[in-house]
Amino acid sequence: MPADTVSVTGWGRTSPTTARLVRPRTYEEAAAAVRECGTRGGIARGLGRAYGDAAQNAGGAVLDMTGLDRIHAIDAAGGTVLCDAGVSLHRLMEVLLPLGWFVPVTPGTRYVTVGGAIGADIHGKNHHVSGSFARHVLSFELLTADGEIRTVGRGTPLFDATAGGMGLTGVILTATVQLLPVETSLMSVDTERAADLDDLMARLAATDHHYRYSVAWIDLLARGASMGRSVLTRGDHAPLGALPPRARRHPLTFRPSQFPSAPAFLPEGLLGRTAVGLFNELWYRKAPRARTGELMKISTFFHPLDGVPHWNRVYGRGGFVQYQFVVGYGREEALRRIVQRISQRGCPSFLAVLKRFGTGDPGWLSFPMPGWTLALDIPANLPGLGTFLDELDEEVAAADGRVYLAKDARLRPELLAGMYPRLDDFRSLRRESDPRGVFTSDLSRRLAL
């Protein structure tokens, strides 16, 4: 089985560590890799879209699961798919959209594997309606530390520990997923501008239930009366009758746009405060004050950055930190304080989005909870960034909120238990099912998971 010693990072390209990269092509090879991973353990890795250190393992093994990428069965009548964990959401869309089915949840990139989607219990623009990815998983096969392959169904402790468990309960081999029926591969989208943060939250709270998908881009450099000014984008899958006659001939075509890859090396400081401030101003001004029923490609609505391969390179060699937190409904003042602090600090973030979460999901370490979630990217070389984010963590923890582990690269471990009430249950299950610590990552060491 192929194996190389390589330097591994998350999508943020920070904190690289060296590991032995193993590429299993069969379930038997995956089992052998787990048995042979050594004293530093191993962790499964998909397409590397976790921003921080969740799929890194310094001095140990990293199992590249993308070679296990078969789609085994599709129930075109009932809307389910059985596939390997290494299958990407992109591949599922290619295969399933022509059949009138769509993935139930997609994050901001379709280059995520099914195994990664379960391990991070990913969420999308539709959490307020559909919950996170694991809610739509009927069962999965899990390779555990004792070398056994277990079929894990919903409602069991092992399922709830694995959903959002960041790969630390075992290696997911296959999964059966319930799909969403669609009539077309286009979206019907409404866009509007919000003058400030309070205006945005009022619009979301009042009308979000009318839309399956909802997200707001926020200008985090705006201050004063414009603090939190936003562009709100919401929509649903377009019905066949909404398409012009010519488009109805091939309503389920899936052809994502593709642009040139970002250069391998870009100068540091390219996304500084001045450049991002100019971008934010132009982005806000060019957005319509109100537009309804715009037809848009699925790839444009959900995954605009996927059209630029290696877009993470634009931050330069230093990489970037993706920071995402959630605070509950009734804690809006905490959200306002955090947005104000980010604005006053002048953090140059052009990828900043606010969404509303619905009912929380059963995963013990699943991130979503009912409330407001803000995600932003920040160049990692910004002076004083570590101290500043530590202060934001304190604000989030004081508001009984939490930070998203799939994007985290630097959270202090003492804050974790307050953010994730089922943490002790998770640790207990790991001790019982994996007493030798076979499944280990840089994230798990850093946070004592």
Side-chain angles (χ1 to χ4, degrees), residues 139-156:
S139 65
F140 53 78
E141 288 186 310
L142 187 71
L143 173 62
T144 51
D146 56 9
E148 297 294 321
I149 297 176
R150 290 174 164 78
T151 299
V152 183
R154 293 161 67 170
T156 64

Side-chain angles (χ1 to χ4, degrees), residues 273-285:
R273 197 171 303 158
T274 300
V276 173
L278 177 60
F279 171 87
N280 287 1
E281 181 70 26
L282 293 173
W283 191 260
Y284 181 76
R285 295 296 176 190

Side-chain angles (χ1 to χ4, degrees), residues 3 6 23 52 64 69 122 153 171 183 255 264 305 348 352 373 398 420 426 433 437:
V6 298
R23 301 179 179 87
D64 179 347
D69 60 354
I122 59 170
V171 178
E183 295 182 11
R255 293 198 186 103
L305 288 174
T373 181
Y420 289 91
F426 180 80
S433 64

Side-chain angles (χ1 to χ4, degrees), residues 107-175:
T109 175
R110 60 186 180 273
Y111 295 110
V112 174
T113 62
V114 169
I118 298 170
D121 200 12
I122 59 170
H123 58 271
K125 297 177 174 70
N126 60 339
H127 191 276
H128 63 292
V129 173
S130 303
S132 58
F133 192 87
R135 189 181 298 186
H136 307 274
V137 175
L138 305 180
S139 65
F140 53 78
E141 288 186 310
L142 187 71
L143 173 62
T144 51
D146 56 9
E148 297 294 321
I149 297 176
R150 290 174 164 78
T151 299
V152 183
R154 293 161 67 170
T156 64
L158 189 54
F159 188 103
D160 292 345
T162 303
M166 308 310 297
L168 297 172
T169 61
V171 178
I172 299 169
L173 299 177
T174 70

Side-chain angles (χ1 to χ4, degrees), residues 105 117-135 163-166 324-329 355-374 400-406 419-422:
V105 172
I118 298 170
D121 200 12
I122 59 170
H123 58 271
K125 297 177 174 70
N126 60 339
H127 191 276
H128 63 292
V129 173
S130 303
S132 58
F133 192 87
R135 189 181 298 186
M166 308 310 297
Q324 184 168 5
F325 67 90
V326 57
V327 294
Y329 296 123
K355 297 192 291 269
R356 294 174 79 246
F357 280 158
T359 303
D361 299 286
W364 293 347
L365 295 187
S366 290
F367 168 65
M369 56 181 267
W372 305 91
T373 181
L374 177 66
D400 298 319
R402 59 183 61 151
V403 169
Y404 192 15
L405 298 184
M419 294 181 173
Y420 289 91
R422 300 298 299 272

Side-chain angles (χ1 to χ4, degrees), residues 79-81 83 88-89 92-93 96-97 100-107 114 117-118 121-138 154 175-182 187 212-213 236-237 298 302-303 361:
T80 62
V81 61
C83 63
S88 70
L89 299 191
L92 288 182
M93 291 177 199
L96 296 171
L97 265 171
W101 297 99
F102 190 63
V103 294
V105 172
T106 177
V114 169
I118 298 170
D121 200 12
I122 59 170
H123 58 271
K125 297 177 174 70
N126 60 339
H127 191 276
H128 63 292
V129 173
S130 303
S132 58
F133 192 87
R135 189 181 298 186
H136 307 274
V137 175
L138 305 180
R154 293 161 67 170
T176 301
V177 182
Q178 183 69 55
L179 304 169
L180 176 71
V182 296
M187 306 296 296
R212 180 181 295 274
Y213 302 101
D236 205 337
H237 298 275
I298 274 177
F302 289 109
H303 317 118
D361 299 286

